[in-house]
Amino acid sequence: NAGVTQTPKFRILKIGQSMTLQCTQDMNHNYMYWYRQDPGMGLKLIYYSVGAGITDKGEVPNGYNVSRSTTEDFPLRLELAAPSQTSVYFCASSSGGLGYTFGSGTRLTVV
Amino acid sequence: DAKTTQPNSMESNEEEPVHLPCNHSTISGTDYIHWYRQLPSQGPEYVIHGLTSNVNNRMASLAIAEDRKSSTLILHRATLRDAAVYYCILSALNAGGTSYGKLTFGQGTILTVHP
């Protein structure tokens, strides 16, 4: 039982580059989320999805885009990387908003 | 979502019980109380949740005050593996609403467990 799988685990980007953070879950959860966590801080919600084809902004969506074409996958896209996007990114899923399962995170550095 | 207040840090000895408090004086009737913990260099991990009644699971117990303005996460016998940041979070679950269980993480309580 894999749960929530995030790739890559680490990435260094140059300013202005783009990348996609991948997230896949195998629990058939309808709800999926992307959070970022800056050093010493709590997690902040970037985007969330309540089902395939449905996404909405969270607290800090600027500079990011998402899509949800299947129940299993919820990729996060960074179009023009900026140093302020240096953070650890966590993907999560839940059934009805209870008992989230989080991935192990992607540590992103923008230089 | 209503806010929660937790102590910045707490310490415990191994094999002793730990009581982690959380104040949520502005909680609404539809708010669930969630607890998550985050071990170093890992993603958050679900611990327990409740609405009105006390809850027990294999990891912990959740004691909810009668007026629901505070709650306490109880670890019955702390181990070194329980050293983590513990987050108390409120989230309204409304099938017809807009929160969709979105969790707003605060700073949490850093729990240190001494051998």
Side-chain angles (χ1 to χ4, degrees):
Chain A
N1 189 359
V4 176
T5 302
Q6 291 185 239
T7 57
K9 294 191 182 301
F10 303 93
R11 183 72 185 268
I12 298 175
L13 277 183
K14 293 184 178 179
I15 295 172
Q17 286 186 322
S18 300
M19 76 165 294
T20 299
L21 282 67
Q22 302 291 345
C23 176
T24 299
Q25 54 95 5
D26 62 359
M27 296 169 286
N28 201 34
H29 285 168
N30 281 336
Y31 297 175
M32 296 188 74
Y33 316 82
W34 274 106
Y35 285 87
R36 61 175 285 174
Q37 184 174 34
D38 297 332
M41 307 294 288
L43 283 73
K44 293 186 178 181
L45 182 64
I46 306 172
Y47 271 95
Y48 68 100
S49 169
V50 299
I54 306 170
T55 64
D56 205 349
K57 297 177 181 179
E59 182 184 359
V60 289
N62 291 343
Y64 307 95
N65 280 299
V66 293
S67 60
R68 184 97 182 268
S69 57
T70 66
T71 298
E72 296 77 20
D73 301 309
F74 190 41
L76 178 71
R77 178 82 177 164
L78 282 71
E79 290 295 347
L80 293 170
S84 60
Q85 293 177 306
T86 293
S87 190
V88 181
Y89 292 82
F90 291 103
C91 179
S93 71
S94 76
S95 175
L98 294 173
Y100 280 38
T101 299
F102 283 83
S104 57
T106 295
R107 187 174 298 274
L108 175 67
T109 302
V110 181
V111 296
Chain B
D1 293 323
K3 290 191 174 182
T4 63
T5 302
Q6 300 178 252
N8 289 333
S9 62
M10 292 186 64
E11 297 186 16
S12 174
N13 294 319
E14 202 173 9
E15 298 190 5
E16 291 184 353
V18 180
H19 291 233
L20 296 165
C22 181
N23 288 319
H24 28 78
S25 58
T26 60
I27 191 171
S28 72
T30 57
D31 282 337
Y32 275 77
I33 302 162
H34 305 258
W35 283 84
Y36 284 78
R37 70 181 185 182
Q38 188 173 23
L39 279 64
S41 300
Q42 295 189 26
E45 175 185 30
Y46 167 78
V47 178
I48 201 167
H49 75 273
L51 185 61
T52 57
S53 303
N54 294 344
V55 185
N56 300 298
N57 66 22
R58 64 174 181 81
M59 290 182 67
S61 296
L62 176 60
I64 301 172
E66 195 168 337
D67 63 5
R68 302 211 321 130
K69 294 184 183 299
S70 66
S71 62
T72 302
L73 179 70
I74 302 166
L75 307 179
H76 295 287
R77 290 185 64 194
T79 68
L80 296 179
R81 191 193 175 279
D82 292 322
V85 179
Y86 285 79
Y87 297 99
C88 170
I89 304 166
L90 303 183
S91 178
L93 288 184
N94 182 344
T98 59
S99 71
Y100 296 109
K102 292 180 292 181
L103 302 180
T104 300
F105 287 77
Q107 296 290 89
T109 296
I110 300 171
L111 175 65
T112 301
V113 180
H114 299 289

